[in-house]
Amino acid sequence: MSVSVAPEKRQKMEFALDQLKKYTVVVADTGDFNAIEEYKPQDATTNPSLILAAAKMPTYQHLLDQAIKYGIANGGSEEEQVTNTMDKLFVSFGLEILKKIPGRVSTEVDARLSFDKNAMVSRALRLIALYEEAGVGKDRVLIKLSSTWEGIQAGRELEEKHGVHCNMTLLFSFAQAVACAEAHVTLISPFVGRILDWYKENTDKKTYEASEDPGVLSVTKIYNYYKKFDYPTVVMGASFRNTGEVKALAGCDLLTISPGLLAELSKDHSSVVPTLTAQGAKECELEQIHLDEKDFRWLHNEDRMAVEKLSDGIRKFAADAVKLESMIKEQMMDVKNGE
């Protein structure tokens, strides 16, 4: 005789990750594509720091070797060869990730271009061309750009003129979110954990419940603003420090989560309910604002946390790009010397 299980009991038996997937698109935040298979995310995101970490793993040495051969074969100065190798390497990781997910991969433009709109557009189109050469259409790729004013305008141009979908990253302020919505970019990645880090370092409060976590509150406000005023740009919470932050944002359009936290959620039996809903957003008391460049710069500048974390994030990604370049130069020299 079969015993029927009440819906509420059935839900308790489910793991938190499976429950979360009912309300939110789960994205894997990693360059280690072997970690992706285990958790079956819809999409995946990479960044220079994640690619650097993965490129150091022996498992992925063949991708670095292939990228170096490509860079050398395309000629030019050493600097051009290194740049071409970097682009090829980022795309190679993206291509491998796309074999393991049904959705899209995010590939990041060099953070050192964060204040040069035209250079970001040009580099983004180069990455898209490399994907297309490998038989992958631009509909399966999101180009990640820093959410500086220049980055946001690069996103606008890529979306409007080239049909390239953009993922605006290093987003910490409400001003950045508003400017991204007005630029009609596909997706934004507001950072949760790095906001929490700043408040712990710069205030007397060292512990936060998930519901009062300043990173969670920031993403909640942005999500509600977008849904209340019908902006099509979707919100993907990023940079989580614990599973409490993740569960507190259930219902967000997407959440990009590290393999470590995905592992915790896949063993967690606690109940997950959507805290963010489009209906709830409509009932929020928020006023719509519009920002030109000077208004954006002023409003963003008023948020000390966001100013510091944006510049810090750009510096860190740039530093890891330099480390990756050094690794490439060293191995490129070995190849050229026949070692």
Side-chain angles (χ1 to χ4, degrees):
M1 179 178 126
S2 64
V3 180
S4 64
V5 182
E8 61 272 15
K9 284 196 177 166
R10 194 181 302 123
Q11 190 178 31
K12 279 180 188 166
M13 290 160 64
E14 279 187 308
F15 291 113
L17 183 59
D18 297 317
Q19 295 175 63
L20 182 65
K21 285 180 177 178
K22 292 176 185 174
Y23 314 118
T24 289
V25 173
V26 170
V27 179
D29 194 20
T30 181
D32 176 6
F33 42 80
N34 290 326
I36 288 170
E37 276 183 299
E38 195 173 343
Y39 304 108
K40 299 184 171 46
Q42 173 72 19
D43 294 356
T45 50
T46 63
N47 64 45
S49 305
L50 294 173
I51 298 289
L52 173 65
K56 288 177 178 173
M57 297 180 191
T59 318
Y60 304 129
Q61 181 63 41
H62 67 288
L63 293 181
L64 188 52
D65 293 342
Q66 287 165 13
I68 287 169
K69 281 179 187 163
Y70 173 88
I72 294 170
N74 276 266
S77 66
E78 184 191 47
E79 189 182 337
E80 287 168 330
Q81 288 180 25
V82 170
T83 298
N84 286 334
T85 299
M86 288 265 282
D87 287 348
K88 183 68 171 174
L89 183 64
F90 277 48
V91 170
S92 296
F93 270 95
L95 291 168
E96 291 298 326
I97 287 167
L98 285 171
K99 291 176 187 173
K100 302 184 185 284
I101 58 169
R104 300 175 294 194
V105 70
S106 288
T107 298
E108 190 148 346
V109 166
D110 194 324
R112 290 169 293 180
L113 304 177
S114 294
F115 303 101
D116 186 337
K117 185 196 90 162
N118 293 338
M120 280 185 272
V121 170
S122 162
R123 197 71 175 268
L125 293 175
R126 170 81 185 125
L127 292 168
I128 291 294
L130 285 169
Y131 274 110
E132 289 179 337
E133 280 171 26
V136 170
K138 57 190 175 189
D139 57 314
R140 292 204 69 198
V141 181
L142 285 166
I143 293 293
K144 278 177 89 175
L145 301 163
S146 301
S147 298
T148 55
W149 177 259
E150 296 80 5
I152 295 166
Q153 301 319 307
R156 180 196 294 274
E157 185 170 318
L158 286 163
E159 298 266 4
E160 285 178 4
K161 293 188 180 174
H162 304 283
V164 170
H165 301 298
C166 296
N167 167 357
M168 304 309 300
T169 190
L170 294 175
L171 194 147
F172 302 97
S173 73
F174 187 62
Q176 289 173 295
V178 171
C180 286
E182 295 197 312
H184 309 294
V185 296
T186 297
L187 180 149
I188 63 166
S189 295
F191 280 33
V192 180
R194 291 197 202 184
I195 293 179
L196 175 65
D197 295 345
W198 189 91
Y199 278 91
K200 282 183 171 180
E201 286 163 17
N202 292 279
T203 68
D204 293 333
K205 192 165 170 63
K206 304 303 175 192
T207 58
Y208 292 84
E209 291 297 318
S211 60
E212 59 174 9
D213 182 306
V216 169
L217 295 177
S218 172
V219 175
T220 299
K221 180 181 178 182
I222 291 165
Y223 173 91
N224 287 338
Y225 183 83
Y226 277 23
K227 299 298 180 265
K228 183 176 179 72
F229 297 110
D230 298 314
Y231 289 109
T233 300
V234 293
V235 180
M236 178 169 72
S239 153
F240 292 101
R241 295 292 176 261
N242 54 67
T243 57
E245 289 179 326
V246 174
K247 291 185 281 187
L249 289 171
C252 193
D253 299 312
L254 306 94
L255 297 174
T256 184
I257 308 166
S258 67
L261 292 181
L262 287 171
E264 286 184 42
L265 289 164
S266 69
K267 298 178 185 120
D268 179 347
H269 276 292
S270 65
S271 177
V272 176
V273 294
T275 52
L276 303 185
T277 64
Q279 184 55 45
K282 293 289 182 192
E283 293 158 14
C284 286
E285 288 187 23
L286 289 165
E287 281 187 32
Q288 190 169 22
I289 61 171
H290 301 286
L291 300 176
D292 60 13
E293 181 177 352
K294 65 181 185 305
D295 293 333
F296 166 84
R297 292 194 186 283
W298 177 259
L299 188 58
H300 178 71
N301 193 64
E302 286 288 277
D303 186 338
R304 183 184 145 210
M305 174 279 295
V307 170
E308 291 179 10
K309 294 310 286 184
L310 172 60
S311 54
D312 179 59
I314 290 171
R315 283 193 300 272
K316 282 181 174 161
F317 281 164
D320 282 341
V322 169
K323 286 179 194 167
L324 189 52
E325 276 186 352
S326 299
M327 216 167 109
I328 288 167
K329 280 179 189 168
E330 197 177 307
Q331 295 195 29
M332 199 174 257
M333 198 60 71
D334 291 344
V335 171
K336 287 176 178 175
N337 292 336
E339 290 178 23

